[in-house]
């Protein structure tokens, strides 16, 4: 493990999952969810080291292959009742027990969010490391009219006046917590033992990629989004040979 990490990313990825068996090793765009999280973290300029905490041998092997260190999680921290916070605290305790320096900034990533943007991580890390916030989390803007069902079965407006229907552009955006990433000061997290403490800010992320994998339907949506993203960046190949008197340009713009 990296003892000099100032910014440490931790990806909790337990082996058990009731909704989708083996969820963290399921693939989106040809890469497993745990690999996608690790590679997003490693692509962020400001993250020094990445750790996957898991109770699964296959997940541990996949994490190491993707370039992460692994902390083996005890069974009592890997069941349905264990919180993500407990897994993060265990990693920090293991670092401390090994005599390693604790990071100044802790980045909590969830493998169930397959489209974590490294630039978003760097932006959030800067806010925390420069002292502007204690916690910065990913959230997607929303203008949805929300409702809940009351005890008598009637529908009750939650975030709006049901008698007033303003236009979208006339409503201030609200934000949905995506669950993808939480960046926090390590000392504050250890003190409060919760991801939200002190001054909390959010970073608005693209709603199109704010997919959280909870069931097979989410995997289908994520796969479709990955295919659309790949098509958007794929080079445009002409359907005919270029003129022999005019060379086709190189894809990177070089002569």
């Amino acid at each position: 493990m990296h003892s000099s990490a100032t910014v440490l990313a931790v990806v909790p990825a337990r082996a058990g999952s009731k909704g989708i068996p083996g969820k963290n090793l399921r693939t989106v765009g040809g890469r497993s969810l745990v690999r996608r999280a690790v590679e997003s973290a490693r692509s962020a300029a400001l993250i020094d080291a990445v750790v996957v905490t898991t109770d699964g041998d296959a997940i541990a092997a996949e994490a190491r292959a993707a370039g992460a260190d692994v902390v083996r999680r005890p069974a009592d921290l890997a069941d349905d009742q264990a919180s993500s916070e407990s897994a993060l605290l265990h990693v920090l305790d293991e670092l401390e027990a090994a005599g390693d320096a604790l990071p100044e900034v802790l980045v909590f990533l969830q493998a169930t969010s397959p489209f974590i943007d490294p630039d978003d991580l760097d932006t959030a890390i800067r806010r925390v490391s420069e002292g502007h916030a204690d916690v910065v989390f990913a959230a997607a803007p929303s203008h949805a009219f929300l409702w809940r069902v009351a005890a008598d079965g009637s529908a009750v407006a939650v975030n709006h006046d049901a008698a007033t229907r303003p236009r979208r552009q006339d409503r201030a955006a609200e934000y949905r917590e995506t669950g993808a990433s939480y960046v926090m000061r390590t000392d504050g997290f250890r003190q409060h033992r919760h991801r939200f403490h002190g001054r909390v800010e959010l970073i608005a992320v693209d709603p199109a990629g704010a997919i959280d994998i909870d069931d097979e339907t989410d995997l289908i949506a994520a796969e479709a989004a990955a295919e659309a993203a790949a098509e958007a960046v794929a080079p445009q190949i002409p359907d005919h040979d270029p003129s022999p008197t005019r060379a086709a340009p190189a894809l990177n713009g070089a002569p």
Side-chain angles (χ1 to χ4, degrees):
M1 196 173 298
H2 302 262
S3 60
S4 60
T6 299
V7 180
L8 173 67
V10 178
V11 182
R14 65 188 183 92
S17 174
K18 292 183 177 179
I20 305 177
K23 176 169 63 176
N24 287 308
L25 290 176
R26 295 291 293 271
T27 61
V28 170
R31 293 182 290 150
S32 70
L33 293 178
V34 69
R35 176 177 287 272
R36 292 183 73 96
V38 169
E39 291 180 349
S40 289
R42 295 190 69 209
S43 296
L46 299 181
I47 291 177
D48 301 306
V50 186
V51 168
V52 171
T53 167
T54 186
D55 60 325
D57 293 340
I59 292 174
E62 177 75 349
R64 291 190 181 100
D69 291 318
V70 172
V71 169
R72 298 308 298 251
R73 199 187 320 181
D76 62 326
L77 297 181
D79 60 20
D80 290 339
Q81 305 303 315
S83 67
S84 296
E85 277 84 352
S86 67
L88 299 175
L89 289 165
H90 175 254
V91 169
L92 296 174
D93 289 344
E94 289 292 293
L95 280 172
E96 191 170 54
D100 291 334
L102 294 181
E104 294 179 12
V105 177
L106 182 66
V107 181
F108 165 31
L109 301 181
Q110 299 210 90
T112 50
S113 295
F115 302 111
I116 300 172
D117 188 335
D119 290 339
D120 289 339
L121 296 179
D122 283 334
T123 299
I125 291 167
R126 287 190 188 95
R127 295 297 297 174
V128 173
S129 63
E130 293 174 1
H132 304 293
D134 296 293
V135 180
V136 178
F137 68 97
S142 171
H143 290 82
F145 292 111
L146 299 180
W147 295 77
R148 64 177 173 81
V149 178
D152 64 358
S154 62
V156 180
V158 173
N159 65 340
H160 65 286
D161 179 354
T164 304
R165 309 302 291 179
R167 299 176 304 168
R168 177 186 177 91
Q169 58 267 38
D170 294 331
R171 298 182 68 214
E174 295 178 322
Y175 293 86
R176 174 178 60 85
E177 185 180 339
T178 70
S181 64
Y182 305 82
V183 178
M184 64 198 89
R185 295 201 62 81
T186 302
D187 54 0
F189 173 66
R190 293 193 91 195
Q191 175 186 350
H192 295 279
R193 306 180 72 80
H194 195 275
R195 73 191 75 177
F196 294 116
H197 55 269
R199 176 178 169 83
V200 178
E201 294 183 354
L202 62 81
I203 179 169
V205 300
D206 185 355
I211 300 173
D212 181 58
I213 305 297
D214 191 51
D215 56 32
E216 293 287 347
T217 302
D218 299 324
L219 271 173
I220 294 171
E223 189 64 41
E227 291 177 1
E231 291 175 358
V233 300
Q236 299 299 311
I237 306 300
D239 57 6
H240 61 279
D241 291 335
S243 167
T245 61
R246 184 178 179 182
L251 295 178
N252 62 0

